[in-house]
Amino acid sequence: MRRQTFYDYFQDKYELLVWFVADSLGETIEANFGYLPWREIVQLTMFELDAQRPFYASVMRDQQEVDLVDLFAAHLQDLVQHYATSWTQNTTSQRHVTELVVLGISYRIMRNLTAVNPIDYEIIGADAIKSLAEIIDQPHP
């Protein structure tokens, strides 16, 4: 690829990284809406992240410009909004609780990718499912 062709599509390598990660997460999470139950999407996502551990670990270690935690949290937020059909986030406090839960899950998962002794992806996925179930499966006023 010529240098100019790259710059026709991306401002810099960080914009390319954001596109790549968002596209990968979108294929794993949003593309499965309507096909898989949300718990299976979370498990699949954990498997995919673990399979790509060297890539994500290097991104987390080698740069500060792209916030993978925030990118992952945005996709988890989409999952919650899609599957939490029994209630609407009509209050600020409901939105804030959801944002905090998905941000906490995202932080734990992404930091686990760079851990010296990482937690098995099935365990961390099960913990994420428990936390998300409090939001998705519980009826709210």
Side-chain angles (χ1 to χ4, degrees):
M1 173 187 298
R2 290 180 356 171
R3 181 187 253 339
Q4 186 55 47
T5 303
F6 174 86
Y7 287 108
D8 287 343
Y9 293 96
F10 304 102
Q11 275 189 322
D12 54 28
K13 64 184 178 182
Y14 303 111
E15 190 174 307
L16 171 64
L17 179 61
V18 168
W19 173 82
F20 177 79
V21 171
D23 188 61
S24 296
L25 291 172
E27 285 182 20
T28 306
I29 297 174
E30 286 89 350
N32 284 304
F33 290 174
Y35 296 106
L36 294 174
W38 71 266
R39 286 174 173 81
E40 289 182 28
I41 293 173
V42 172
Q43 291 170 337
L44 176 63
T45 303
M46 296 303 105
F47 175 80
E48 291 293 329
L49 289 172
D50 190 63
Q52 299 297 323
R53 177 183 300 274
F55 168 74
Y56 286 107
S58 70
V59 168
M60 294 286 290
R61 277 192 308 268
D62 298 341
Q63 59 83 43
Q64 302 298 317
E65 289 79 3
V66 176
D67 186 355
L68 289 184
V69 172
D70 193 47
L71 279 173
F72 187 65
H75 289 276
L76 281 183
Q77 184 77 23
D78 289 346
L79 181 131
V80 169
Q81 289 175 346
H82 183 81
Y83 284 94
T85 57
S86 64
W87 62 287
T88 57
Q89 293 182 350
N90 56 3
T91 68
T92 302
S93 64
Q94 287 173 333
R95 283 192 306 276
H96 288 188
V97 167
T98 301
E99 289 169 5
L100 286 173
V101 169
V102 298
L103 193 56
I105 291 168
S106 299
Y107 181 80
R108 183 169 184 229
I109 290 167
M110 289 299 164
R111 290 297 170 206
N112 188 59
L113 293 172
T114 59
V116 175
N117 296 312
I119 300 167
D120 185 81
Y121 76 90
E122 290 177 353
I123 294 170
I124 205 164
D127 290 346
I129 288 169
K130 285 179 196 173
S131 298
L132 291 172
E134 293 294 321
I135 298 170
I136 294 173
D137 294 338
Q138 301 300 318
H140 293 275

